[in-house]
Amino acid sequence: MKQALVDDTEDVSLDFGNEEELAFRKAKIRHPVATFFHLFFRVSAIITYVGCDWFSKSFVGCFVIVLLLLSFDFWSVKNVTGRLMVGLRWWNQIDEDGKSHWIFEARKVSPDTVAATEAEARVFWLGLIVCPMIWIVFFFSSLFSLKLKWLALVIAGISLQAANLYGYVLCKVGGESDISKVTASFLSRTVFQTACPSDFQKPGLEGLEIHKH
Amino acid sequence: MAEAVESPGDPETTTSRPLMRDLKAVGKKFMHVLYPRKSNTLLRDWDLWGPLILCVTLALMLQRGSVDSEKDGGPQFAEVFVIVWFGAVTITLNSKLLGGNISFFQSLCVLGYCILPLTMAMLVCRLVLLAEPGPINFMVRLFVVIIMFAWSIVASTAFLADSQPPNRKALAVYPVFLFYFVISWMILTFTPQ
C-alpha cells in the first residue's frame, strides 16, 4: 500500500496534494522578499553614509535619510525577517507589577512548520554581524578624522544594529536551553576531537555537563 | 503579544499586521500625551518610535536656513539630537539611582513622547515668525511656549511621579523640569536668519 511506503520516507513523498507547498519546501530561499529587504535597508544606510559627500552637500538631508533607513532596517529585522528567515523572535513585556521581562524565542521545528534553509540562515547571520562591525569602523574613522557632527548618527546606527544582533544571539543561545551546555558541547567538539571515541563518552570535564545530541 | 501562525509567504500577515499594530500603538500614545490621565496601560507597551519621530521633527524645524553650505545647520541639528537623547538618558539614570521602579526604556518612552506639546509649540512659533517681528510677536511665542512647557511637565509627571517613593518625588521631577526648560529655551530663542 502506498501508505506504508510513505511512512518510511521524508516529507517530499507525503502527498498533501499541494504543489505549491512542495515547491516551497524544496526552495533554497523561501522568502526572497524578506531576504532582499533584510539586506537592502542595512546596505543602503551604509552606502548613503559613505556616499554622502558625493550625493549632496546637505548634512541634514543625509542624516535624516540614513536615520530613516536605519529605523526601517531595525523594524523589519526585528519584526519580520528574523521570524521568517530563521524562526527567532524577541520582545519586551511588562507585567502588571511593572517588572520588565525580555523574552527570546526560537521556533521549534515540527512536522507542521518548516525549518530555516541554510542559505537563508547564512544570509541572515552574515547581514546581522557584518553591518554593526562596519558601523564601528565608521565610529573610529569619524572620531579620528574629527568629523564629530557625524558621531551622533554613527552611535545611533551602532545601537540599532547591535540591539538586533544581541537580541537574536540571545534567541539562538536561549534555544539551546542553557549557555553552559552550548559552551560544553563546543569545548567537547574542539578539545576532544583527536581523542579516541571511548574517551569522548566519558564525563571527563568536571563541573560541565556534556550532552550527547 | 503572541503571533498567530503565519502562512509561509503571505505578506499580509507577516508584514502589514505587525506594522499596523505598531502604528496604532504609536498613535495611541500620542493621544495619551495630549490628554494625560493616570493610566498604567500606556507604560506597559513602550516604544521609542514616537520619540524618534518627534526628535527628528523638532531638529528639522530648529534649522536655520543659511546660504553658506559649509554651515548648513549641521551642528544645530546634531545638537538637538544629543540634547534630547542624552538628556532623557540622564534623567532616566537619575530616577533609577533614586530607587524608582520604572524600567529604563519605559522612562525614555515617556520623556520622549511628552516632547509632543513642545513640538507643536515649535510649529506654532515658526508660523508666528512668518509675521512681522516685534514685541507682540515675542509675547505670543512666549505665551505659547509657556503653555506647552507646562503641558509637557504635567503629562510626564502624570506617568513618572508614581514610580518614585513619596519623599523623592521632587528630586525625580526637577531634572524633567530642567530638560523641558532647555528645549523650550531653544524653541523660544529660535530666529530664522
Side-chain angles (χ1 to χ4, degrees):
Chain A
M1 286 296 291
K2 195 174 175 194
Q3 232 18 57
L5 285 171
V6 157
D7 286 335
D8 295 334
T9 56
E10 285 296 341
D11 55 12
V12 177
S13 313
L14 286 172
D15 185 14
F16 291 109
N18 194 343
E19 289 290 325
E20 272 181 29
E21 190 146 344
L22 282 178
F24 178 77
R25 282 167 186 265
K26 279 195 200 167
K28 279 197 111 188
I29 292 189
R30 295 199 180 116
H31 307 104
V33 178
T35 313
F36 171 72
F37 275 110
H38 175 76
L39 292 175
F40 173 71
F41 289 130
R42 333 196 118 211
V43 173
S44 315
I46 290 177
I47 292 178
T48 313
Y49 177 79
V50 168
C52 236
D53 292 325
W54 299 316
F55 288 156
S56 87
K57 288 268 173 223
S58 159
F59 168 78
V60 173
C62 196
F63 193 106
V64 172
I65 290 178
V66 174
L67 196 61
L68 275 177
L69 286 170
L70 287 170
S71 316
F72 291 159
D73 163 72
F74 179 82
W75 187 88
S76 60
V77 170
K78 180 170 180 301
N79 287 298
V80 181
T81 66
R83 224 169 5 115
L84 290 181
M85 288 168 79
V86 286
L88 301 170
R89 64 182 177 184
W90 59 281
W91 72 90
N92 176 268
Q93 214 162 286
I94 301 191
D95 60 22
E96 281 95 29
D97 302 327
K99 283 201 52 135
S100 134
H101 300 281
W102 288 95
I103 302 181
F104 304 94
E105 280 186 358
R107 182 160 62 196
K108 291 198 194 6
V109 181
S110 70
D112 292 338
T113 65
V114 291
T117 58
E118 215 182 289
E120 277 184 340
R122 211 176 299 144
V123 167
F124 180 81
W125 290 106
L126 260 182
L128 208 61
I129 293 175
V130 168
C131 290
M133 300 210 291
I134 297 182
W135 281 102
I136 292 180
V137 169
F138 288 157
F139 176 78
F140 288 113
S141 84
S142 80
L143 193 62
F144 294 139
S145 67
L146 294 179
K147 290 205 221 142
L148 296 177
K149 66 184 184 181
W150 290 105
L151 221 50
L153 183 62
V154 175
I155 290 177
I158 294 178
S159 340
L160 288 173
Q161 312 240 312
N164 257 327
L165 176 62
Y166 186 64
Y168 279 116
V169 163
L170 283 184
C171 281
K172 189 86 188 161
V173 166
E176 312 260 335
S177 84
D178 194 2
I179 195 164
S180 70
K181 288 186 192 142
V182 174
T183 329
S185 64
F186 175 71
L187 276 176
S188 61
R189 254 181 281 130
T190 51
V191 171
F192 292 109
Q193 208 120 54
T194 53
C196 61
S198 59
D199 282 348
F200 195 68
Q201 306 260 343
K202 283 188 238 162
L205 290 175
E206 42 186 349
L208 289 171
E209 284 181 87
I210 301 183
H211 263 249
K212 270 191 67 178
H213 290 291
Chain B
M1 242 173 105
E3 309 276 339
V5 173
E6 65 255 0
S7 49
D10 187 7
E12 270 282 307
T13 54
T14 54
T15 310
S16 71
R17 219 197 294 147
L19 186 63
M20 291 322 299
R21 175 198 73 204
D22 283 342
L23 286 177
K24 280 205 195 110
V26 172
K28 210 164 86 159
K29 286 198 207 36
F30 279 137
M31 286 292 114
H32 271 268
V33 172
L34 288 179
Y35 306 108
R37 326 174 262 281
K38 287 200 198 291
S39 137
N40 234 354
T41 53
L42 179 68
L43 280 183
R44 297 259 295 273
D45 296 318
W46 59 266
D47 73 70
L48 293 178
W49 298 114
L52 186 66
I53 296 171
L54 287 173
C55 192
V56 171
T57 313
L58 194 61
L60 282 175
M61 287 200 281
L62 278 169
Q63 286 307 293
R64 289 151 213 262
S66 72
V67 183
D68 197 4
S69 68
E70 278 292 308
K71 304 182 210 172
D72 64 340
Q76 291 100 325
F77 188 87
E79 261 172 28
V80 174
F81 252 86
V82 168
I83 287 177
V84 168
W85 288 102
F86 189 69
V89 166
T90 310
I91 296 177
T92 308
L93 283 178
N94 175 65
S95 102
K96 284 198 88 69
L97 284 172
L98 283 175
N101 70 346
I102 197 173
S103 93
F104 182 77
F105 288 106
Q106 275 178 308
S107 171
L108 282 185
C109 169
V110 169
L111 289 167
Y113 270 100
C114 291
I115 296 179
L116 178 64
L118 287 171
T119 309
M120 299 194 311
M122 182 71 222
L123 194 61
V124 171
C125 281
R126 277 224 91 150
L127 292 174
V128 169
L129 280 167
L130 291 175
E132 55 177 79
I136 300 179
N137 197 305
F138 179 75
M139 294 308 291
V140 170
R141 283 186 292 131
L142 181 66
F143 180 69
V144 168
V145 168
I146 288 180
I147 299 268
M148 294 302 185
F149 167 68
W151 197 341
S152 284
I153 300 264
V154 165
S156 59
T157 49
F159 298 117
L160 288 179
D162 280 342
S163 65
Q164 291 288 341
N167 55 339
R168 296 259 174 89
K169 279 206 210 299
L171 274 176
V173 167
Y174 99 85
V176 177
F177 185 89
L178 274 179
F179 177 63
Y180 290 124
F181 182 78
V182 167
I183 299 180
S184 312
W185 185 257
M186 283 198 298
I187 293 173
L188 194 56
T189 58
F190 170 78
T191 49
Q193 296 301 5

